[in-house]
Amino acid sequence: MTQAQRIALGSVVVGAVVLVVKLAAWFFTGSVAILSDALESIVNVATAIAALVAVRVAARPPDASHPYGHHKAEFFSAVLEGVMIVIAALLILHEAWGRFWEPAAITQPWLGSAIVVAASLINGAWALVLIRKGKALKSPALSADGKHLQTDVVTSIGVIIGIAAAVATGWYWLDPLMAALVALNILWSGWHVIASSLSGLMDESVSEDELADLRNLISDHAEGAVEAHDLRTRVAGRATFVDFHLVVPGDMSVTAAHEICDRIEVALKKHLEECIVTIHVEPEDHAKHTGIVVL
């Protein structure tokens, strides 16, 4: 099991624990806001399972049916997570609407709030782990899961504030009102997760800064060549695909040109851990002379 898979499995365990804790808080209080928070935790467990499956699929090596690998599986998981977040928000809005017209007193509010705080601390700590590891491992699924948990923490804070306000004023309609506000926040989070994942499915390029670094690496390690042009990149999960044309003198041997390509490829793969490089070599008399100048 890879590190990403172990972390994804940890998300399933953490999500299940937090779900049980929040359901206990709802049992003691009867708060619809806490119920909405628990409903989001159900989504957390489901999306954590989806992320685990996606990470396992993405780790598979290329095969005859998928010669470029399975890296994009993580983007599909992230999109699924965004959709499930939106569904959870709609369920919360439905519950809040019904309770708004028939508000009910909250029992044992401080015990319930304390339980929600404990669950939030667990979620907050694990969210930081997921975001840090997702960035380090270039895992869209883990990063999306971490950002979702951060939203869950914000949700829980809002729930606690709503319960305190409802108990202090006796206006128990504040409880479903806070649940509705929580749902709107979740909707925004779900849309953000979907939008960022769709860009990955559309073969988005690396950032401008990263592209400048790649250009410099090619220039610095292509001694003997004339230039490089038509540099293209695309990101697919942890993998980054890089391809370009390398112009060499017309009388250069195939062996010499191949040695330059190897040198560039080693440099690029050292810079980007999972980098798939494709280099098209062409003689100088067929070159466009519009690309990267070789130093």
Side-chain angles (χ1 to χ4, degrees):
M1 184 176 289
T2 65
Q3 183 180 11
Q5 291 171 15
R6 289 195 297 271
I7 295 171
L9 180 59
S11 288
V12 176
V13 175
V14 170
V17 170
V18 170
L19 172 59
V20 171
V21 171
K22 288 184 178 180
L23 287 175
W26 171 62
F27 175 79
F28 286 120
T29 63
S31 166
V32 68
I34 291 180
L35 174 60
S36 70
D37 206 10
L39 285 174
E40 188 179 5
S41 293
I42 293 175
V43 175
N44 289 349
V45 175
T47 53
I49 294 173
L52 175 60
V53 173
V55 168
R56 289 180 65 86
V57 172
R60 293 177 182 173
D63 54 35
S65 300
H66 305 87
Y68 292 98
H70 302 77
H71 308 92
K72 286 190 177 182
E74 293 197 38
F75 287 115
F76 284 105
S77 170
V79 171
L80 174 62
E81 180 164 345
V83 171
M84 295 185 72
I85 292 172
V86 171
I87 292 174
L90 295 176
L91 290 174
I92 293 169
L93 284 172
H94 179 267
E95 290 292 329
W97 178 257
R99 186 64 68 88
F100 184 81
W101 297 107
E102 297 181 6
I106 301 173
T107 59
Q108 302 188 64
W110 309 123
L111 173 60
S113 296
I115 295 174
V116 172
V117 168
S120 298
L121 291 174
I122 296 172
N123 266 345
W126 190 247
L128 292 176
V129 172
L130 287 172
I131 292 174
R132 187 177 70 251
K133 292 297 185 180
K135 183 178 180 180
L137 299 173
K138 295 184 178 180
S139 171
L142 295 182
S143 296
D145 207 11
K147 291 175 182 177
H148 180 202
L149 285 185
Q150 279 190 329
T151 302
D152 197 11
V153 173
V154 174
T155 296
S156 298
I157 293 173
V159 166
I160 294 170
I161 293 173
I163 290 175
V167 172
T169 62
W171 299 342
Y172 289 107
W173 51 266
L174 288 174
D175 181 39
L177 177 61
M178 181 54 66
L181 293 175
V182 164
L184 294 176
N185 181 57
I186 294 171
L187 276 173
W188 173 254
S189 172
W191 167 249
H192 180 72
V193 169
I194 292 172
S196 60
S197 302
L198 286 176
S199 65
L201 289 173
M202 294 297 292
D203 288 337
E204 186 176 30
S205 174
V206 299
S207 67
E208 288 296 327
D209 291 339
E210 186 67 72
L211 193 60
D213 290 340
L214 296 179
R215 287 179 175 275
N216 290 332
L217 281 171
I218 294 170
S219 177
D220 293 344
H221 293 83
E223 183 180 355
V226 177
E227 68 174 28
H229 60 82
D230 290 349
L231 174 63
R232 301 184 303 174
T233 64
R234 65 182 178 93
V235 179
R238 293 187 299 275
T240 301
F241 292 81
V242 180
D243 66 81
F244 60 92
H245 291 204
L246 182 69
V247 182
V248 300
D251 58 353
M252 178 176 283
S253 68
V254 173
T255 300
H258 188 267
E259 288 176 355
I260 298 174
C261 293
D262 284 346
R263 193 163 62 240
I264 297 173
E265 187 172 352
V266 168
L268 292 175
K269 289 186 175 180
K270 185 177 180 180
H271 178 68
L272 295 171
E273 185 176 352
E274 289 198 39
C275 182
I276 293 87
V277 183
T278 303
I279 305 174
H280 172 75
V281 178
E282 59 185 37
E284 185 176 6
D285 57 341
H286 287 80
K288 295 179 182 178
H289 296 291
T290 59
I292 302 166
V293 177
V294 175
L295 302 179

